[in-house]
Amino acid sequence: MGSHAKHVSIQSSASPGELKSSLLLILQRARIINLDELELYFGGEDVTDMVGFNSPRNEMEALSSILTAIAKLEGEHCSTTALQELRVVAVNSISELGEKFKEEKKVVTQSSCEQEKGLQQWGEDQGVKSQLEISYFEGAGRGAVARQDLRIGDIALEIPLSVVISENLVHEYDMYSILEKVEGMSAETMLLLWSMKEKHNPDSKFKLYFDTLPEVFNTGLSFGMEAIMALDGTLLLEEIVQAKEHLRAQYDELFPSLCNDHPDVFPPEQYRWEQFLWACELWYSNSMKIMFSDGKLRTCLIPIAGFLNHSTCPHIMHYGKVDSTKNSIKFPLSRSCNAGEQCFLGYGSFSSSHLLTFYGFLPQLDNYYDVIPLDIDVASNEDCEHTDPTSDWTSHMVRGTWFSKNHGIFHYGLPPPLLDCMRRSRSPFLQSMTLTPENLEIELEILRDLCSMFRRYEGWTRRS
Ligand SMILES: C[S@@+](CC[C@H](N)C(=O)[O-])C[C@H]1O[C@@H](n2cnc3c(N)ncnc32)[C@H](O)[C@@H]1O
């Protein structure tokens, strides 16, 4: 790390070129600080491999952290022209990144959004502050569009807690006294059962919200026979089948007994399996995890914010915490969004199979989180743990080698911890990766091992 711990000094008379170079030096360090576990795994053994671009997420987080540091310095009265100019260079870099990883979605002009407008109006009457309006987009349903030019730090949306659907709400309903006695009942399941019934309540406070929800979600959980047949033999189908089996078991544990024991509270016609699945899809694809002022993380449905679509390089990244002074949830911008442009949220670092199973869409751009887990017999690789502290990963995976920076010998675009583990299983006392005949022999063995391992996934790769 030695050479990376240097200070970066910026002259007040720095030229634009010098400012760009300074930003790059700071950015190289910020990228490392903001690496996530997956990026560390695929990154390399040496931090110098990770000072370059790692992923849109890492780049956005790194640039945002630089802006935060600049704002902090300015707050401490260190405001200088050089600092302000550095800020401009960082903001421009974020815009360039946004352009490069832009999600292209066309507005469907012929679809009216009367119901959505009604919900927006209801929200605003309840104290929602919104800089967004709703439109339909090709292949993505509704999405939110900036009403005016929005800059970094602007609040695109602010939702008071009074219109957020969270576990506290269920406590006010008669089903709560029944559900709280059911062993193993979670707050999420209570909310799910509550939403199945509330959807049909003509007097619900959330009637306008329920009216805007799709009748059909089309996530992987409700894929029809044709899609299932097409996915035969894939890891994706395995994920979908497992998720569905889990939900079915959960449903069978609760029904029909709840309906039999309390038909007035759980009318059988509102608690069929298809309706349960609809509610699961609603919660999987529309809920957000929010940190409340008491420090508890709660799964919530947030009307209006639920119209925001996902992007790999979103405008809104840092959300999910209740502002205790305002008792609201704010959605601030991490990159600017021009008037008329769709404003995207980051749902999380999900693989495409997860997005398809639980949200029903595939991202347009390359997904850095698409990984294939590998089963490696760790028992025969015990030496890995003792000889090298950097190889203590217990699970291994691969992803598209085009994401990798290093394709040369000893690397092959594959994750270093995986190769390391395989090398040590072949030669526990291997010292270095030098071009000796012995090492090359080991490399050949490893490549053969990899070939046979990947052959097991051939069915999957041929289909994907
Ligand atoms: C929170 S909702 C967003 C609003 C949604 N488009 C609607 O009309 O209700 C999440 C759902 O939006 C869709 N979606 C979100 N991001 C998308 C994207 N980038 N491309 C396509 N569909 C997307 C998926 O159907 C997903 O399940």
Side-chain angles (χ1 to χ4, degrees):
M1 283 289 287
S3 63
H4 297 283
K6 279 189 290 196
H7 282 96
V8 178
S9 44
I10 304 154
Q11 306 289 332
S12 52
S13 56
S15 68
E18 287 166 338
L19 278 172
K20 260 199 145 157
S21 310
S22 302
L23 179 75
L24 185 61
L25 281 176
I26 303 168
L27 184 57
Q28 288 176 341
R29 288 148 179 82
R31 282 172 179 147
I32 293 171
I33 295 167
N34 286 285
L35 286 166
D36 66 15
E37 207 179 344
L38 206 74
E39 286 152 0
L40 273 169
Y41 179 80
F42 286 102
E45 290 132 332
D46 189 342
V47 285
T48 50
D49 289 341
M50 294 182 270
V51 296
F53 180 89
N54 292 292
S55 71
R57 184 212 64 83
N58 177 251
E59 198 73 355
M60 277 287 287
E61 290 288 7
L63 286 162
S64 294
S65 68
I66 294 173
L67 287 183
T68 307
I70 293 174
K72 190 164 176 269
L73 282 172
E74 287 176 337
E76 288 162 3
H77 310 292
C78 298
S79 186
T80 63
T81 316
L83 218 47
Q84 285 162 18
E85 284 171 0
L86 193 68
R87 184 178 197 283
V88 173
V89 181
V91 168
N92 290 344
S93 301
I94 292 178
S95 298
E96 282 165 23
L97 184 75
E99 269 308 303
K100 196 166 163 197
F101 292 95
K102 191 156 74 176
E103 200 90 17
E104 303 279 3
K105 296 263 183 238
K106 285 201 199 98
V107 175
V108 182
T109 40
Q110 60 270 35
S111 298
S112 88
C113 292
E114 287 316 309
Q115 273 186 327
E116 290 76 10
K117 279 186 195 141
L119 181 68
Q120 286 255 77
Q121 189 53 58
W122 168 82
E124 283 168 28
D125 294 345
Q126 310 275 323
V128 169
K129 292 186 192 133
S130 174
Q131 306 295 333
L132 306 169
E133 57 194 40
I134 310 307
S135 286
Y136 270 86
F137 289 87
E138 246 173 47
R142 284 81 47 94
V145 174
R147 280 185 184 150
Q148 63 208 46
D149 289 348
L150 300 174
R151 300 286 152 242
I152 294 174
D154 286 353
I155 308 292
L157 196 58
E158 180 172 352
I159 313 273
L161 279 186
S162 56
V163 300
V164 170
I165 298 175
S166 73
E167 62 186 73
N168 304 2
L169 194 69
V170 187
H171 297 183
E172 297 161 18
Y173 286 73
D174 50 4
M175 67 170 64
Y176 180 68
S177 58
I178 301 169
L179 294 179
E180 68 170 344
K181 294 189 193 93
V182 177
E183 210 187 304
M185 175 62 60
S186 68
E188 277 87 0
T189 308
M190 279 197 200
L191 277 162
L192 199 132
L193 300 179
W194 171 85
S195 50
M196 288 170 78
K197 188 169 182 187
E198 194 67 1
K199 178 181 192 262
H200 302 285
N201 175 5
D203 303 320
S204 170
K205 174 183 173 184
F206 296 98
K207 179 163 176 19
L208 289 176
Y209 171 65
F210 281 107
D211 287 349
T212 60
L213 291 176
E215 274 307 312
V216 184
F217 279 104
N218 292 323
T219 72
L221 298 173
S222 56
F223 273 177
M225 225 2 150
E226 212 180 312
I228 300 284
M229 299 277 278
L231 294 175
D232 187 30
T234 63
L235 287 178
L236 173 59
L237 184 61
E238 224 171 272
E239 185 168 343
I240 292 175
V241 168
Q242 266 182 22
K244 231 171 147 170
E245 278 174 358
H246 167 78
L247 296 175
R248 183 71 215 199
Q250 203 183 1
Y251 176 81
D252 289 341
E253 251 178 50
L254 299 170
F255 298 100
S257 57
L258 278 175
C259 296
N260 291 344
D261 297 348
H262 312 276
D264 46 333
V265 182
F266 298 101
E269 69 278 10
Q270 287 177 359
Y271 285 93
R272 288 194 300 269
W273 160 242
E274 296 72 31
Q275 289 152 314
F276 183 79
L277 199 57
W278 178 89
C280 292
E281 290 184 276
L282 164 66
W283 281 87
Y284 280 132
S285 65
N286 278 257
S287 66
M288 298 184 198
K289 281 214 160 37
I290 301 293
M291 172 78 77
F292 279 67
S293 306
D294 59 5
K296 264 197 176 169
L297 213 53
R298 294 187 173 90
T299 311
C300 305
L301 288 177
I302 311 183
I304 303 168
F307 290 130
L308 287 158
N309 286 326
H310 166 84
S311 162
T312 320
C313 190
H315 299 90
I316 302 166
M317 289 195 312
H318 301 131
Y319 63 95
K321 206 168 172 208
V322 169
D323 178 332
S324 50
T325 57
K326 298 267 186 74
N327 241 4
S328 67
I329 301 167
K330 289 178 177 162
F331 295 83
L333 265 81
S334 293
R335 73 176 174 91
S336 56
C337 186
N338 294 330
E341 195 185 331
Q342 184 172 183
C343 186
F344 288 98
L345 193 74
Y347 289 180
S349 305
F350 296 130
S351 67
S352 299
S353 66
H354 182 97
L355 288 171
L356 204 56
T357 304
F358 298 104
Y359 293 85
F361 74 97
L362 281 174
Q364 266 175 347
L365 304 172
D366 276 349
N367 185 353
Y368 286 71
Y369 295 93
D370 273 343
V371 298
I372 304 174
L374 295 178
D375 292 327
I376 294 188
D377 185 1
V378 191
S380 64
N381 286 314
E382 274 170 0
D383 293 325
C384 298
E385 284 166 37
H386 305 300
T387 44
D388 184 349
T390 62
S391 55
D392 59 357
W393 297 86
T394 48
S395 54
H396 291 277
M397 55 201 141
V398 281
R399 70 174 178 190
T401 50
W402 56 91
F403 289 128
S404 169
K405 296 169 198 157
N406 203 340
H407 293 265
I409 187 159
F410 301 119
H411 297 282
Y412 326 109
L414 291 167
L418 166 68
L419 291 168
D420 195 54
C421 190
M422 296 186 78
R423 273 187 200 112
R424 285 182 196 282
S425 75
R426 285 278 176 191
S427 172
F429 303 108
L430 183 85
Q431 282 309 313
S432 67
M433 291 182 291
T434 47
L435 288 168
T436 62
E438 194 205 355
N439 282 356
L440 292 178
E441 194 49 50
I442 294 167
E443 287 304 291
L444 269 177
E445 284 169 4
I446 288 169
L447 290 171
R448 277 189 213 110
D449 287 349
L450 282 167
C451 279
S452 62
M453 196 188 293
F454 293 152
R455 218 164 281 136
R456 279 192 268 137
Y457 292 91
E458 221 172 275
W460 187 86
T461 44
R462 208 184 311 126
R463 281 182 179 87
S464 64

